[in-house]
Structure formats: C-alpha cells, structure tokens
Amino acid sequence: MIVSFEDLRSSMVADQLVGRGIRDPRVLDAMARVPRHLFVPAEAVPLAYADRALPIGHGQTISQPYMVAVMTEALALSGRERVLEVGTGSGYQAAILAELARDVVTIERRPELAEAARTRLASLGYKNITVVVADGTAGEAGIPYDAILVTAGAPRVPESLKAQLAEGGRLVIPIGSYGQQDLTVVARTGGVFVESVHESCVFVPLVGREGWPDR
Ligand code: SAM
C-alpha cells in the first residue's frame, strides 16, 4: 500500500494533535496543509511526520509537531496579527504562523539556516514572511507585535521582547534551565504583564544578549 504525505499529515493531526488535546480548528487545518517533509533534510524525510523533533543541521532541530501546535494554539491567532518568531530554524513554524496571521517576521542567528529557510519559504509561495538574520533576543524594532513566539529555550523572558508586545498581545517562550524548560505564556493586558506556566519541554538554547552565552 502506498501512503502519501497527505495521509501521513492526516494521521499526524489525528493521533499526535487531536489525540493530545489540540482543539483550535485553524491550527489543525494549517498543520494538515503545510508540507513538513519539505522542511527537513533529505535523510530525515521518512521521519518528517514522526512524533519527534528532527535534526536540521548546525546542531539545531525542527520542533516536534505537537510542540509546534501547542505553542501556536497558545497564541490564539485570529488572522489579523503581526507576528514575530525568534528561531527560524527550518522555517516550518514560520509557515504555520503565516497560514494563521497577517504577517510574520522571523529571526534566526545562524545565517546558513536563515538563507535556506528564506529560499524554501519563497519556493512554497509565502509572501507574508520576512526572514531576518540577527540576535532575536533583542527583537526586531518597529511597530509592536500582536504575538511573539520564541522557539528556543531561555533563562528568563527577554525584556526587549516584552517591550515589543502590543497591548492585548501574547508572548510564548520556553523558560528554564539550559536543558529543560516550561512553556511560558506572557499576556499584556492593561499595560500589565501576566505570566502563566504550562507544560515542560526541551528546546535548544536561545543564545544571545538576553539569552544564554554562546558556549
Ligand atoms: N522554529 C524552528 C522550525 O520550525 O524549524 C525550530 C527552531 S530550533 C528549535 C531553534 C532555533 O533558534 C535554531 O535555529 C537556533 O539557531 C535559533 N536561535 C537560537 N538563539 C537565537 C537568537 N538569539 N536569535 C535568533 N535565533 C536563535
């Protein structure tokens, strides 16, 4: 029997996402649409829809599908938002965000990964994603963002990112030690930042001025 990538995506959504409590239909639809196998190196294609993170080179990873869904759902996107992602990696999470929001700016500190992601996202036809090479712990100056997603683990919430969160906006970031974090949501309401801590997770380190030192 031949199993198509579309079939693998449907099973991923049903078993790994719906089966574990992801409910937002827009998030589920986006994850059923975006071709994750085009975001992984050739040797990892057979595992593209597996329930795990995968290496993408340079010691970095594309996150587990479930973690992508949990973080995206936590942003509660309606379609009108301007979103900032820190940690472009393969560009997969940026593509999911671009399906669900108006504009996405995504920052990657490694130029090789940023360039590969830029090329990949352009070839897939995404016109609402800008890939920037920089230390994303400082954010990206300009109009405040309605949603900010950090896909690397940080010792604390970078103050620069909080400052760039629009009123009513949400920032989702793994916070904890170098090797283990808790998914943390910071909501800005009435000028006040309210933090809530969710499930534990394991991300590669956020390296930069307001993250971990480069080891
Ligand atoms: N979102 C990615 C995807 O969909 O493939 C996965 C991100 S990977 C878990 C974390 C990424 O964060 C790595 O590519 C790493 O180079 C990047 N990174 C770490 N510190 C950073 C920083 N200060 N600014 C920007 N990117 C950073």
Side-chain angles (χ1 to χ4, degrees):
M1 190 181 71
I2 296 171
V3 181
S4 67
F5 286 122
E6 203 176 339
D7 293 340
L8 291 172
R9 271 200 299 284
S10 299
S11 304
M12 174 191 82
V13 168
D15 303 342
Q16 300 172 36
L17 309 188
V18 176
R20 292 204 191 109
I22 304 296
R23 290 285 171 265
D24 185 334
R26 296 181 72 242
V27 173
L28 296 171
D29 283 353
M31 296 211 39
R33 264 196 316 272
V34 175
R36 183 173 161 92
H37 61 281
L38 299 182
F39 289 81
V40 301
E43 64 277 13
V45 167
L47 291 174
Y49 296 96
D51 186 16
R52 51 171 288 193
L54 293 167
I56 55 169
H58 306 277
Q60 305 304 317
T61 54
I62 175 174
S63 306
Q64 176 196 26
Y66 172 69
M67 197 44 67
V68 173
V70 168
M71 293 176 102
T72 309
E73 190 172 61
L75 291 175
L77 299 171
S78 68
R80 291 184 297 272
E81 297 83 359
R82 195 177 132 78
V83 181
L84 176 67
E85 181 196 20
V86 177
T88 312
S90 68
Y92 177 70
Q93 174 75 74
I96 298 289
L97 294 170
E99 297 275 336
L100 299 171
R102 183 163 53 93
D103 288 307
V104 178
V105 174
T106 179
I107 309 179
E108 172 56 54
R109 70 185 281 269
R110 292 181 181 269
E112 311 86 344
L113 289 176
E115 188 47 41
R118 193 180 284 128
T119 304
R120 183 177 290 129
L121 291 164
S123 74
L124 288 169
Y126 287 100
K127 299 209 182 330
N128 58 341
I129 304 176
T130 306
V131 181
V132 175
V133 179
D135 170 8
T137 65
E140 173 73 1
I143 315 159
Y145 292 90
D146 305 303
I148 301 178
L149 179 53
V150 181
T151 62
R156 67 195 73 82
V157 183
E159 287 300 322
S160 299
L161 295 183
K162 281 167 80 171
Q164 285 172 37
L165 193 59
E167 178 56 30
R170 285 169 181 234
L171 160 62
V172 176
I173 179 168
I175 298 290
S177 66
Y178 201 78
Q180 167 108 45
Q181 306 86 29
D182 293 316
L183 211 54
T184 304
V185 178
V186 181
R188 181 173 194 164
T189 340
V192 175
F193 295 97
V194 180
E195 258 184 58
S196 54
V197 176
H198 301 261
E199 59 204 271
S200 61
C201 50
V202 175
F203 275 84
V204 295
L206 181 74
V207 176
R209 193 159 55 84
E210 295 184 51
W212 295 100
D214 201 356
R215 290 186 177 179

